[in-house]
Amino acid sequence: MRSDFEIKREICEIGRRIYNKGFVAANDGNITVKVSDNEFWATPTGVSKGFMTPDMLIKVDAEGRVLEGTWKPSSELKMHLRVYKERPDVGAVVHAHPPTATGFAIAGVPLDKYTMPEAIIFLGSVPIAEYGTPSTDEIPDALSKYLQSYDAFLLENHGALTVGKDLMTAYFKMETLEFYAKISLTARLLGGERELSCEQIGKLMDIRRKFNVPGKHPGCPSCNIEGVGEPVKQELKTNESGFDEKELTAIVAEVTKRVLAQCKG
């Protein structure tokens, strides 16, 4: 069993990584690690994740009460505690604002295409949890709908959240999420993603099971390939123009293609 100091040192290291990668700015984001069913180490409010030291971290209970430390907890701690309450398998939670993934969250476009083998095996599709006011129960309530099916979430007009059996797993899911978002955006600018076939997805899911990858994965809703957790249907929103998000994505891709063609001409 790892000591509290080792856990706190790892939290500071992951804080530096998400800061240096530009996943957070200023004092954004928060990280928690489960110690027991009623003890969690958490990053404090008002501190840059790139400049934390172990003595700044606080230990809280399942109700958010401070057990150790002199700093105040983040107002978004409720979101983390809801995850631990509803997902006993989760040992760590990372919340950040990776720019490209957050762009998808702001645009209201879920990352639900099955295109990259690595994302299919280690991440799964990524839904959008409906908007909630920060520091209230609105965000945990919106997130709760998806917790039993996914390990990575876009938070509408807010950012992203990833969970894992330990902190490194949760962090790597955040890295994979942003990488997946960047590639998805590039593919859409080039005319759209080409999804893998049901047969190809099935083989990748077999690999996931073979390597016993922990966590939730909704599987493929198109071909009913079994995942780990039941998929939640993500309803597309219709904006004032009358187009749904899939239609808008296709329109944006076509307009971008034509603009690039004109620039080349």
Side-chain angles (χ1 to χ4, degrees), residues 50-227:
F51 297 92
M52 290 187 303
T53 54
D55 61 289
M56 295 178 179
L57 303 183
I58 52 175
K59 182 180 282 188
V60 300
D61 65 13
E63 301 300 321
R65 294 182 290 257
V66 176
L67 302 175
E68 290 184 33
T70 58
W71 293 72
K72 293 182 179 180
S74 166
S75 62
E76 293 182 331
L77 180 63
K78 295 178 182 179
M79 177 170 59
H80 294 243
L81 295 177
R82 179 68 68 86
V83 173
Y84 294 120
K85 181 179 180 180
E86 298 188 14
R87 285 280 303 274
D89 60 304
V90 169
V93 178
V94 176
H95 168 54
H97 303 155
T100 309
T102 300
F104 275 84
I106 291 173
V109 180
L111 286 163
D112 57 0
K113 305 294 185 184
Y114 285 85
T115 56
M116 288 179 58
E118 294 80 5
I120 293 172
I121 294 172
F122 297 107
L123 188 67
S125 60
V126 184
I128 298 179
E130 293 74 14
Y131 178 77
T133 304
S135 81
T136 71
D137 286 324
E138 293 176 7
I139 296 179
D141 289 345
L143 187 65
S144 179
K145 175 181 176 182
Y146 304 97
L147 277 175
Q148 298 307 317
S149 300
Y150 302 87
D151 281 352
F153 316 85
L154 297 178
L155 307 175
E156 187 175 29
N157 291 87
H158 189 173
L161 183 132
T162 54
V163 305
K165 65 181 180 65
D166 52 41
L167 182 52
M168 193 59 71
T169 299
Y171 165 69
F172 280 147
K173 287 183 185 292
M174 185 65 72
E175 266 198 0
T176 302
L177 170 60
E178 178 64 0
F179 190 60
Y180 176 31
K182 287 180 179 179
I183 290 176
S184 296
L185 178 60
T186 301
R188 293 180 189 209
L189 293 174
L190 293 172
E193 301 118 305
R194 294 183 180 180
E195 291 195 76
L196 297 175
S197 69
C198 292
E199 181 183 358
Q200 291 167 328
I201 294 170
K203 291 178 180 178
L204 293 171
M205 291 299 290
D206 286 341
I207 292 173
R208 177 185 170 88
R209 285 186 280 269
K210 178 181 178 181
F211 286 98
N212 196 28
V213 177
K216 302 290 185 177
H217 194 303
C220 177
S222 299
C223 49
N224 296 318
I225 291 176
E226 184 180 355

Side-chain angles (χ1 to χ4, degrees), residues 37-52:
D37 289 341
N38 194 47
E39 293 180 309
F40 309 87
W41 280 109
T43 52
T45 188
V47 175
S48 169
K49 303 307 163 293
F51 297 92
M52 290 187 303

